[in-house]
Amino acid sequence: MANKIPPFLLAPPTPCSIKQAKGKMRIPFLGRGINRLASVIREGYAQWDFSSQNGFFQKIDARVKILFLLFFILIVTLKRDVLPETYIWVFVFVLTLLSRLSIAKIYKRVLLFGFLFGFLIALPSAFNVITKGDVVLPIATLPRPYNFWIYHVPAEIGITREGIHGVAMLTMRVINSLSLSFLILYTTPFHEIVRALKVLKVPDSFLIIITLCYKYIFLLSKTVEDMHLAKRSRIVRELSPTEAREWVAGRIAFIFRKTRLRCEEVFKAMIGRGFSDTIRFCGFRKMRMLDWGTAVFLFLSGIFFLFI
Amino acid sequence: MRCAVENLMRLENVSYRYHGKIPALSDVNLEVHSGDHIAIVGANGSGKSTLLQIMAGLRYPMTGRFFFNGTEVSERSLRDKGFLRCFRQSVGYVFQDSDVQLFCPTVFDEILYGPLQLEIGEEEGKKRAFEVMEMLNIEHLKDRPSYMLSGGEKKKVAIASVLAMNPQVLLLDEPTNGLDPKTQSFLVELMLALIEAGKTLIIGTHDLSLVDELRSNVAVLSENHRLVKIGKAEDVLSDEGLLLKVNLIHEHIHRHGEAVHKHIHSHYLFHRHEPQNRR
Ligand SMILES: Nc1ncnc2c1ncn2[C@@H]1O[C@H](COP(=O)(O)OP(=O)(O)O)[C@@H](O)[C@H]1O
Ligand SMILES: [Mg+2]
């Protein structure tokens, strides 16, 4: 059969020298960006699955943590003053420290989202055009007040005390809810969360959807990363920007299809191992003293925050 | 070319961890000369694939260094167009999981992707693609998308796509896994022919009979991700103690009537012992 081996394979390889091409590679922004995003997602997943480190919150039963999350988010939305919100924030911060999480990593995200969804969205309401009240920081003066339809634009435009309060409240609420959620997410592996939700009577169909989404996103980011690696192993020269764009565009559909097939395989594997549309888990381990103690402590702190 | 003495690839104290936590390689030193053929053997999870990916310039050592032709391979040096071209053109890597490797819309595009980049002309590229497909018996799959192939077919396409570039160094991760016996034995013949033609061949495998057939040098990775031995095939394969220690073979206790005897299981030893058993 050896005679079937094409002669080019047995010929000595094309000699190559470093001087064949000059200059530095420019890596196309699009491809690099997508790969960076995928690896950030994968890194996130890895962190999440590793969340069984031995901090304080990691040891607590997932059911306690989920109830804690719901209860505290309720409290955060009910509070009407900045000071109690600040106390809650300090409380969550201390819990985060006790759980030995990386403060920088968590707060980078919390502050970014807090800024986008709290501060920026609420900012316009700080002006007396929207919220009436005492102007504390005048910004512009119009020759006379304007009235059109239901709007009234006063002659002096500025930021009001009530407005500042509103913006601060919304930002604090967003920041608090996010720190709470990240605290739970980073201390509880994904499957524990699903289990806890199941115990708390969340419908199975909903849990299946979350689980498959979780798997899908993971497979998607892994496929993107794999494809990047595979392409890199065969990239010999710099692609022109057009080639790079075409490559990315052509591959997006391909990636989705490939990932969907993989996800279907995962689902088939689940069915093959006796999965039906009800989710069954082996029983939760018993609540220990630590779990009960923490539950009571968190509950009492919640009541305390409700009344200050 | 075969007897060139300077080393083609050199790994110095290479270590690697995934996500900064999961150890995959620790303190590996290895030299590869032009024309060498080396089998990296080790149990599952011992780090064979990781080592091959580092040698293919797809991952970079976390500590330690990897040199190709005297130049350190790193994210920075591979950004140099000249070095990138030289390195990628000379080193071909076949992934263990071929599903990962295939990224073109059809099988034909896949095989043609490499040759087209080499700027050897479209005619020559197509000729190579057809020849390689004919060699591996996959011409009929030419227009299929890669995700509509069976596992073994994917593997053949993956091998074809790398061979079409005619690299000087071939890194093959579990090349015979998932292939039918006929293709397997053809692949062994192909590898022997490539070695004969002066190619440098590095394979990662736990199939000791393959190692025996190729008669290559062997580098043994232990389960704690260290290179514990580098030597000739016959020396390593006869070192039962070592193979037992790295979990490549296992002791099995049989009951034959009254007598209980220990028997060491592995492809290679089984193969060797057969004539004796018959006697
Ligand atoms: N993508 C990955 N993420 C995390 N850990 C990995 C990954 N790939 C491999 N590993 C781990 O690295 C170690 C070495 O893996 P690998 O090089 O694939 O071994 P082998 O090819 O010898 O079976 C194993 O313990 C494996 O679990
Ligand atoms: Mg492997």
Side-chain angles (χ1 to χ4, degrees), chain B residues 13-64:
Chain B
N13 307 90
V14 168
S15 301
Y16 193 86
R17 286 165 180 276
Y18 285 94
H19 308 296
K21 290 201 173 89
I22 306 173
L25 282 180
S26 66
D27 212 14
V28 168
N29 288 291
L30 185 67
E31 281 188 16
V32 180
H33 299 278
S34 183
D36 271 358
H37 43 115
I38 298 182
I40 296 163
V41 301
N44 291 332
S46 55
K48 303 182 291 291
S49 302
T50 312
L51 182 55
L52 287 174
Q53 286 184 10
I54 286 178
M55 294 170 95
L58 297 175
R59 297 186 187 280
Y60 308 107
M62 296 213 158
T63 56

Side-chain angles (χ1 to χ4, degrees), chain A residues 20 236, chain B residues 81-89 117-119:
Chain A
Q20 255 169 337
V236 165
Chain B
K81 280 184 201 167
F83 183 63
L84 175 97
R85 165 142 204 172
C86 182
F87 183 77
R88 295 276 179 238
Q89 186 179 326
Q117 286 211 41
L118 292 180
E119 290 160 344

Side-chain angles (χ1 to χ4, degrees), chain B residues 97-126:
Chain B
D97 175 6
S98 350
D99 219 19
V100 163
Q101 189 177 352
L102 308 177
F103 58 79
C104 292
T106 67
V107 168
F108 189 60
D109 290 329
E110 194 72 57
I111 299 173
L112 200 56
Y113 187 87
L116 283 191
Q117 286 211 41
L118 292 180
E119 290 160 344
I120 50 171
E122 200 169 323
E123 277 313 299
E124 171 69 11
K126 282 189 173 157

Side-chain angles (χ1 to χ4, degrees), chain A residues 174-188:
Chain A
V174 172
I175 287 187
N176 272 344
S177 312
L178 284 169
S179 343
L180 277 165
S181 314
F182 277 120
L183 173 62
I184 304 300
L185 287 183
Y186 277 98
T187 52
T188 324

Side-chain angles (χ1 to χ4, degrees), chain A residues 9 16 25 232 257-258, chain B residues 58 79 86 99 147 199:
Chain A
L9 261 182
C16 78
M25 273 284 272
R232 205 157 82 192
R257 199 162 325 144
K258 201 164 157 174
Chain B
L58 297 175
R79 227 172 275 148
C86 182
D99 219 19
Y147 44 80
K199 297 254 155 44

